[in-house]
């Protein structure tokens, strides 16, 4: 409890002296939910360059990626933040899964090692976030413990959260399943890949950060 | 053979967060499925994931984790407030339990209101256990 109280005080002090442009917006979620696809979409829309590479093989993003001073606009409203794309959080990483994806043993072991470090870094960065977009794959079961743990932690740290149910263009997706799983949060369905509902997503970002 | 290792919350109550996590992980790394009669704090859950990642190597590939909250009815604002304050003071007061299994053995832990399914690696076998209600 003392720890939570200390964090709350630190957060209050940090916010008091923080410039609006120093806001850190984190993208968190499990591997392969589409965090980097969304980060690339935001970055392309407002800066004209991509943030990172995407792949069907999990743990493609293994390092924290930051795009500074991203300014988004909607009518007269304007918002500037530092966009932080994080490696997917998982409880298991087996190099043999990468072997099955066609990588060599050496490559697989290297990727597994980098992926574990990526998860550790993503967790360390939780403390620094001012707001977080949790990106979930709308075709998957939203009740995974990783999702619940991430969102529960952000709630305990009093960090504003927007939940994005990504991949709603896919047949197996269900926005309702995600919304029902987290009824206390604002959940928006998008497809970062197919550019569906992104304008609504930006509107929700204003609501989250303003 | 699957080994289930029951850990009463009293066994970890007096430990620091890092010692709690290490104790649970030690059992899991011995290929045991840990059933903790209680829950870790939210920040301990994320620390458990972080520590697990730091300990992953060729032999230990991580964990499968599920946490169950005890069912309780909240009849209004004051009940809800009471529960929140109580859980801040005594984190495990709401009850519930936690299952942590080695990823090498447990592929997935599924939960629904009446049963727990431990899906083991390399097998479509589903082991079903009835959830016991705590009073």
């Amino acid at each position: 409890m003392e720890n939570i109280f200390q964090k709350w005080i630190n957060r209050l002090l940090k916010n008091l002296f923080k410039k609006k442009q120093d806001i850190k917006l984190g993208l968190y979620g499990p591997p392969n939910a589409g965090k980097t696809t969304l980060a690339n979409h935001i970055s392309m829309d407002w800066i004209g360059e991509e943030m990172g590479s995407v792949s069907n093989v999990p743990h493609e993003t293994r390092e924290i990626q930051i795009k500074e001073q991203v300014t988004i606009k909607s009518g007269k409203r304007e918002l500037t933040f530092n966009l932080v794309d994080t490696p997917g959080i998982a409880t298991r990483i087996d190099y043999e899964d990468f072997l099955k994806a066609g990588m060599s043993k050496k490559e697989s072991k290297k990727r597994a090692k980098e992926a574990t470090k990526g998860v550790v870094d993503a967790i360390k960065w939780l403390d620094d976030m001012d707001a977080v977009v949790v990106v979930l794959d709308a075709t998957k079961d939203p009740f995974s413990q990783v999702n619940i743990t991430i969102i529960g932690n952000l709630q305990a740290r009093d960090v504003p959260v927007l939940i994005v149910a990504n991949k709603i263009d896919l047949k197996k997706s269900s926005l309702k399943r995600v919304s029902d799983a987290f009824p206390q949060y604002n959940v928006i369905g998008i497809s970062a890949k197919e550019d569906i509902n992104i304008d609504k997503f930006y509107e929700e970002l204003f609501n989250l950060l303003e | 053979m699957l080994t289930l290792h029951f850990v009463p919350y009293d066994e970890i109550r007096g430990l620091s967060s890092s010692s709690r996590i290490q104790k649970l992980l030690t059992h899991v790394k011995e290929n045991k499925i840990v059933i903790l009669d209680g829950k870790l704090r939210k920040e301990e859950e994320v620390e458990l994931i972080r520590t697990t990642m730091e300990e992953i190597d060729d032999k230990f590939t991580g964990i499968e984790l599920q946490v169950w909250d005890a069912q309780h009815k909240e009849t209004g604002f004051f009940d809800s407030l009471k529960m929140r304050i109580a859980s801040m003071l005594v984190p495990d007061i709401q009850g519930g339990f936690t299952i942590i299994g080695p990823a090498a053995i447990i592929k997935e832990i599924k939960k629904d209101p009446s049963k727990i399914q431990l899906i083991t690696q390399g097998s479509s076998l589903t082991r079903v256990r009835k959830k016991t209600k705590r009073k």
Side-chain angles (χ1 to χ4, degrees):
Chain A
M1 191 171 142
E2 194 180 307
N3 200 16
I4 291 172
F5 184 67
Q6 187 61 49
K7 278 178 184 166
W8 182 77
I9 294 285
N10 289 344
R11 188 169 188 81
L12 194 72
L13 289 173
K14 203 168 80 175
N15 288 342
L16 272 176
F17 299 106
K18 179 168 278 193
K19 290 178 194 167
K20 267 206 155 181
Q21 286 82 356
D22 292 336
I23 293 170
K24 287 195 191 78
L25 175 69
L27 299 181
Y28 275 81
N32 265 32
K35 295 179 292 300
T36 304
T37 306
L38 179 59
N40 282 340
H41 203 308
I42 299 168
S43 191
M44 278 301 288
D45 280 351
W46 304 102
I47 296 182
E49 55 191 53
E50 291 200 332
M51 272 187 85
S53 59
V54 293
S55 161
N56 285 332
V57 182
H59 301 287
E60 177 69 11
T61 306
R62 298 183 296 283
E63 286 179 358
I64 303 280
Q65 310 276 345
I66 306 169
K67 193 62 80 181
E68 291 185 336
Q69 301 294 296
V70 178
T71 301
I72 65 172
K73 292 172 186 170
S74 174
K76 285 182 180 174
R77 294 200 292 180
E78 193 175 298
L79 194 63
T80 301
F81 53 83
N82 299 324
L83 183 61
V84 185
D85 183 24
T86 65
I89 294 182
T91 58
R92 55 163 77 212
I93 294 173
D94 187 347
Y95 81 91
E96 289 190 6
D97 291 338
F98 303 128
L99 279 178
K100 287 173 199 161
M103 291 181 179
S104 69
K105 194 171 181 177
K106 195 179 168 189
E107 274 179 320
S108 300
K109 285 194 171 188
K110 183 171 176 273
R111 191 180 180 98
K113 198 167 186 181
E114 289 170 353
T116 57
K117 190 180 173 301
V119 177
V120 171
D121 289 343
I123 290 171
K124 280 183 188 165
W125 273 71
L126 270 173
D127 273 335
D128 291 324
M129 296 301 161
D130 298 294
V132 165
V133 175
V134 176
V135 183
L136 303 180
D137 181 340
T139 68
K140 300 260 172 76
D141 176 12
F143 287 104
S144 90
Q145 193 59 46
V146 164
N147 297 346
I148 293 165
T149 299
I150 296 170
I151 292 168
N153 256 270
L154 292 165
Q155 188 180 26
R157 290 161 205 249
D158 214 14
V159 176
V161 170
L162 170 65
I163 298 178
V164 161
N166 191 24
K167 308 189 186 183
I168 56 160
D169 55 304
L170 299 180
K171 247 186 180 177
K172 277 170 68 183
S173 69
S174 170
L175 173 60
K176 186 178 181 301
R177 195 166 47 199
V178 181
S179 301
D180 288 351
F182 303 104
Q184 67 277 45
Y185 288 96
N186 194 6
V187 179
I188 175 166
I190 67 160
S191 169
K193 190 179 174 187
E194 300 300 328
D195 193 22
I196 298 170
N197 228 10
I198 299 296
D199 287 342
K200 181 82 172 67
F201 165 72
Y202 289 134
E203 285 296 317
E204 293 298 339
L205 272 192
F206 276 101
N207 297 337
L208 184 73
L209 295 170
E210 275 183 345
Chain B
M1 187 181 75
L2 284 175
T3 307
L4 303 178
H5 188 99
F6 184 74
V7 179
Y9 196 84
D10 280 343
E11 213 174 294
I12 61 165
R13 192 184 297 273
L15 301 177
S16 67
S17 289
S18 57
S19 301
R20 280 179 190 177
I21 288 162
Q22 270 310 333
K23 189 177 178 86
L24 297 172
L25 266 184
T26 301
H27 293 312
V28 175
K29 288 179 83 173
E30 289 165 353
N31 279 341
K32 293 172 186 168
I33 296 162
V34 172
I35 302 173
L36 170 66
D37 184 23
K39 298 184 300 177
L40 295 172
R41 295 187 185 101
K42 285 291 170 204
E43 63 268 27
E44 288 173 340
E45 270 178 37
V46 88
E47 268 306 297
L48 173 65
I49 297 176
R50 193 184 67 79
T51 310
T52 298
M53 287 298 122
E54 286 174 342
E55 299 202 5
I56 280 181
D57 55 26
D58 288 356
K59 286 180 187 164
F60 178 61
T61 56
I63 59 168
E64 194 56 34
L65 166 74
Q66 276 291 357
V67 182
W68 277 261
D69 289 310
Q71 306 278 325
H72 64 269
K73 282 187 180 174
E74 289 174 8
T75 49
F77 172 76
F78 289 106
D79 284 333
S80 170
L81 190 66
K82 259 193 313 194
M83 287 309 293
R84 279 168 188 270
I85 292 169
S87 69
M88 281 168 75
L89 296 172
V90 189
D92 59 323
I93 199 162
Q94 290 182 44
F97 61 100
T98 306
I99 296 183
I100 312 165
I105 295 175
I106 303 296
K107 193 176 173 188
E108 195 182 353
I109 304 172
K110 284 189 173 180
K111 61 178 177 183
D112 74 32
S114 60
K115 65 188 175 200
I116 302 163
Q117 293 176 303
L118 301 183
I119 301 170
T120 52
Q121 288 286 2
S123 160
S124 56
L125 259 181
T126 305
R127 294 167 195 268
V128 182
R129 294 188 157 265
K130 277 191 178 171
K131 187 175 173 182
T132 52
K133 282 185 181 173
R134 295 181 73 220
K135 288 184 180 175

